[in-house]
Amino acid sequence: MIPPPPQLDPSTSPDAYLHTALLAWWHWMIIIVGIALLILLGLWIAKKLIKPVPPPTPAQIALQHIDAVLASGKDLRQCATELSLILRTYLTGTSEDPTLFETHQEFSMRADALMNLPVQEQIPVRNLLQRMVQLKYEPNTTDDASVASELARETKDIIERLEYLSQLKGNEDAPLSRDTSSPKLSFTK
């Protein structure tokens, strides 16, 4: 048997038959604001945890360029020219010495050349630049690859020492004694 249809009560208003919301509007606002705060908190924590990568130092850039010159397999004259340019660019950027914009003769004749460098590094830098100038004009030999790699190693050594000394200069209170001929630390009491 089929049940009879429900009878509508004429005294009941139509609003009584409508379903009411489970949550009031202000409940929904609290939920939305809470979710937004959780998202902001998550972003803030992620920002604190992720450390920005510092840009490469001039020394790192110069060392990368030296490796690229060696990997390129160029002849000794080209290597000497490019290594000289790399070293001069590094010196211009870090010690504000205008060696990049001078010929070797102008550089050699200038009395204040390399005065911004540590005293113990001025002569090795001068000698290396002089050697590079000489190698630029030498004829090719069978030993060019080994001379080029030796020249690159010397250039790297000088840049690493200068970088280390500049870091020490910024941290003069450190209780370290340093042999400037190598980039290793030695501790003394």
Side-chain angles (χ1 to χ4, degrees), residues 7-13 17:
Q7 297 295 320
L8 295 177
D9 184 12
S11 65
T12 307
S13 78
Y17 294 104

Side-chain angles (χ1 to χ4, degrees), residues 9-10 21 31 33-34 38 50 62 68 76 79 87 91-93 99 111-112 127 136 145 156 161 175 184:
D9 184 12
I31 291 171
V33 168
L38 284 175
I50 298 172
L76 178 60
C79 281
L87 181 58
L91 292 174
T92 299
T99 57
D112 66 342
N127 291 343
K136 285 186 218 179
K156 281 183 172 184
R161 282 195 313 264
K184 295 181 179 154

Side-chain angles (χ1 to χ4, degrees), residues 43-169:
L43 292 174
W44 181 74
I45 290 173
K47 183 179 177 184
K48 291 290 184 184
L49 293 177
I50 298 172
K51 304 277 186 212
V53 177
T57 64
Q60 291 170 335
I61 294 170
L63 295 174
Q64 289 172 353
H65 286 297
I66 292 170
D67 291 337
V69 168
L70 278 180
S72 68
K74 296 179 179 177
D75 68 0
L76 178 60
R77 287 183 275 176
Q78 289 175 324
C79 281
T81 302
E82 290 186 27
L83 290 172
S84 174
L85 182 63
I86 291 168
L87 181 58
R88 287 171 179 259
T89 302
Y90 173 76
L91 292 174
T92 299
T94 57
S95 67
E96 298 176 2
D97 193 276
T99 57
L100 180 62
F101 309 106
E102 299 174 322
T103 65
H104 185 70
Q105 289 175 336
E106 292 170 332
F107 166 74
S108 299
M109 293 175 59
R110 189 164 46 90
D112 66 342
L114 303 178
M115 293 305 286
N116 292 337
L117 295 181
V119 175
Q120 68 269 27
E121 294 299 323
Q122 290 176 7
I123 292 174
V125 169
R126 232 180 245 286
N127 291 343
L128 181 61
L129 288 171
Q130 178 64 39
R131 184 164 176 234
M132 288 177 182
V133 167
Q134 291 170 349
L135 290 173
K136 285 186 218 179
Y137 301 108
E138 284 189 9
N140 290 336
T141 64
T142 57
D143 201 28
D144 282 357
S146 64
V147 174
S149 66
E150 179 186 337
L151 198 62
R153 183 189 51 75
E154 289 178 30
T155 307
K156 281 183 172 184
D157 288 347
I158 283 180
I159 290 173
E160 288 170 349
R161 282 195 313 264
L162 289 172
E163 184 71 9
Y164 181 80
L165 290 173
S166 73
Q167 289 174 358
L168 271 186
K169 186 178 180 184

Side-chain angles (χ1 to χ4, degrees), residues 175-177 186-189:
L176 301 175
S177 110
S186 63
F187 296 87
T188 59
K189 286 191 173 184

